[in-house]
Amino acid sequence: MVEYRDSVTGYEIRRYTDGPERNAKLYFTSENFSTDDRYFYFNKQQLDGKDDGGTYRCEWATGKMERITDYSYRGFALDREKNIAYVCKNETEVYAIHLDDNHPEFLGNLPSGGNVTGHLTAANTGRVACSYHLANKIFALVVLDPGKTEAEVVHMSDHHLGHAQICPTDENLIFYIHETMGDALQRTWMCDVESRRVRPYYVEHANEWITHEVWSADGAEMALMKLDPPGFVDGKAGLVHTGNIIIGDKDGRHFDVEARSTQLLHPCISRDRKWLCADRISYLGTDIQEGVVLFERATGKQKLIATTGTCKTGADHLHPSFNRSGDMILFSNPDENGTAQVCTIDLKQVKEDW
């Protein structure tokens, strides 16, 4: 672990990893910290000839690290309320890892011969859900209920399904997307598990680009990014895209643009829902100083709080997210080779001069 002062923002940053492999924080649609905020979790890339890849936890105060799962596990994600992680082994075996002692508990099986297309998610009832690629190459939404050892397919589609996130407080709702690796005619969808019906969540109009969605921890709302084409920013013409952070209610009936800035991509909501953060990324042919932007929802104020290197791939994106107390942001910071390395910024120093 090293500490340094950001040359642009002036804030102190802690960097915990140094490659050469990718060390990337968990995706922003999962919790990233233990329930007491003592540890954060990240994924270490498995390089040829080595056997140290997998998911690690790191004590943020000291930098002490411990491997939790090896590279045979996939889909690692943290529970919203309990100190538990959900993960797949051998593609189809679902385990709950009790993180107080790292004890794995077998929960059940996903359909044989398939694979998850994102991380696992869980509602407060213990229902686990994920998007899935079945052995017959059809995409599906799958749920595994407590007490059952075989998962159930609740929706199938010819579209590539991804980013599935069960509502944290409503096991009947699963948000998911049609993954195109870019824009989509209608990207965001909601599945009603009980009725097996699906419907658009944010209904897209012509030339809208919606991307990167996340539930709030209480399941009351979602944040998503709406990308605008290059145009005027702060009264000046330029080849930059505006990222609009839209907040939608649980049912997808009401949406508000609550923040906007240049080249934003991945939004996240603090657990108290008072703050938003997002990464500023070079994309769609536009290069920009990449970094993390913080927004206060009550005032609309925004501030670039950390600058980073330039991402080599999508896996190296910053994907910033809050700890559970909302006073720290964890993000991936691409090194000189564009490879993600894990960093934190303590927001107490930011809010002192907010």
Side-chain angles (χ1 to χ4, degrees):
M1 182 183 71
V2 297
E3 293 186 348
Y4 67 92
R5 190 170 294 277
D6 190 296
S7 60
V8 176
T9 71
Y11 295 126
E12 288 187 355
I13 309 292
R14 285 185 177 180
R15 175 171 163 167
Y16 295 84
T17 59
D18 195 28
E21 69 284 320
R22 176 184 299 114
N23 294 280
K25 66 178 290 294
L26 302 185
Y27 206 51
F28 71 105
T29 50
S30 167
E31 294 287 349
N32 274 244
F33 283 78
S34 58
T35 52
D36 60 2
D37 279 339
R38 180 179 177 183
Y39 302 100
F40 64 81
Y41 293 79
F42 69 95
N43 293 316
K44 183 175 183 177
Q45 182 184 14
Q46 180 89 16
L47 295 182
D48 291 342
K50 291 191 175 183
D51 187 28
D52 60 352
T55 301
Y56 283 70
R57 76 175 178 187
C58 178
E59 188 173 43
W60 77 266
T62 67
K64 182 179 179 181
M65 297 180 186
E66 177 185 8
R67 186 163 74 166
I68 305 302
T69 61
D70 62 32
Y71 219 62
S72 65
Y73 291 84
R74 293 186 62 190
F76 188 102
L78 298 176
D79 191 275
R80 290 287 189 179
E81 305 300 335
K82 300 183 286 292
N83 209 29
I84 291 175
Y86 302 95
V87 67
C88 289
K89 185 176 184 180
N90 300 322
E91 299 292 353
T92 60
E93 302 169 11
V94 179
Y95 287 83
I97 299 179
H98 298 265
L99 296 172
D100 292 333
D101 58 7
N102 295 336
H103 168 69
E105 175 191 2
F106 175 72
L107 297 181
N109 296 297
L110 299 174
S112 63
N115 60 275
V116 294
T117 63
H119 63 71
L120 301 180
T121 65
N124 56 358
T125 59
R127 170 176 281 177
V128 177
C130 64
S131 49
Y132 201 70
H133 201 192
L134 296 166
N136 60 7
K137 305 308 177 185
I138 292 173
F139 287 91
L141 299 178
V142 176
V143 301
L144 178 63
D145 285 325
K148 296 184 179 181
T149 58
E150 299 299 324
E152 181 180 10
V153 174
V154 298
H155 175 63
M156 290 190 292
S157 175
D158 290 331
H159 292 277
H160 184 150
L161 305 187
H163 289 217
Q165 304 170 56
I166 196 167
C167 179
T169 54
D170 186 347
E171 68 168 13
N172 190 51
L173 291 180
I174 303 175
F175 173 89
Y176 67 98
I177 68 162
H178 287 176
E179 180 62 88
T180 64
M181 306 300 175
D183 198 4
L185 294 176
Q186 175 56 48
R187 172 182 166 97
T188 61
W189 296 81
M190 197 73 75
C191 175
D192 184 292
V193 174
E194 184 176 351
S195 69
R196 300 295 197 266
R197 292 181 177 178
V198 299
R199 58 178 172 81
Y201 174 66
Y202 179 92
V203 178
E204 295 191 46
H205 303 295
N207 301 317
E208 287 192 311
W209 190 323
I210 301 297
T211 188
H212 295 121
E213 310 80 9
V214 60
W215 283 109
S216 61
D218 62 2
E221 59 187 16
M222 295 196 78
L224 53 149
M225 194 68 71
K226 178 178 177 291
L227 304 183
D228 288 342
F232 285 88
V233 177
D234 296 329
K236 299 178 181 178
L239 295 177
V240 293
H241 299 257
T242 300
N244 305 274
I245 301 180
I246 298 177
I247 302 297
D249 61 11
K250 173 181 171 181
D251 296 322
R253 300 181 185 279
H254 183 82
F255 296 89
D256 290 308
V257 176
E258 294 210 6
R260 56 166 51 94
S261 191
T262 56
Q263 298 287 134
L264 299 183
L265 199 56
H266 303 89
C268 200
I269 311 173
S270 63
R271 288 179 71 90
D272 63 9
R273 294 197 277 140
K274 294 181 179 180
W275 300 85
L276 302 170
C277 67
D279 46 7
R280 179 170 287 167
I281 297 289
S282 298
Y283 57 79
L284 298 179
T286 300
D287 293 327
I288 195 170
Q289 171 60 66
E290 303 191 358
V292 178
V293 185
L294 181 68
F295 304 87
E296 186 176 30
R297 293 180 69 179
T299 64
K301 184 176 179 179
Q302 63 175 272
K303 192 172 193 178
L304 178 68
I305 60 173
T307 58
T308 71
T310 298
C311 312
K312 181 170 61 176
T313 70
D316 301 294
H317 283 161
L318 282 57
H319 298 148
S321 56
F322 296 92
N323 66 353
R324 298 186 188 241
S325 299
D327 57 9
M328 183 175 298
I329 289 178
L330 177 71
F331 61 99
S332 294
N333 186 348
D335 59 21
E336 61 276 7
N337 298 313
T339 303
Q341 306 299 335
V342 189
C343 290
T344 61
I345 178 170
D346 190 334
L347 294 182
K348 297 184 186 70
Q349 61 183 319
V350 177
K351 294 177 182 178
E352 284 178 355
D353 63 356
W354 188 254

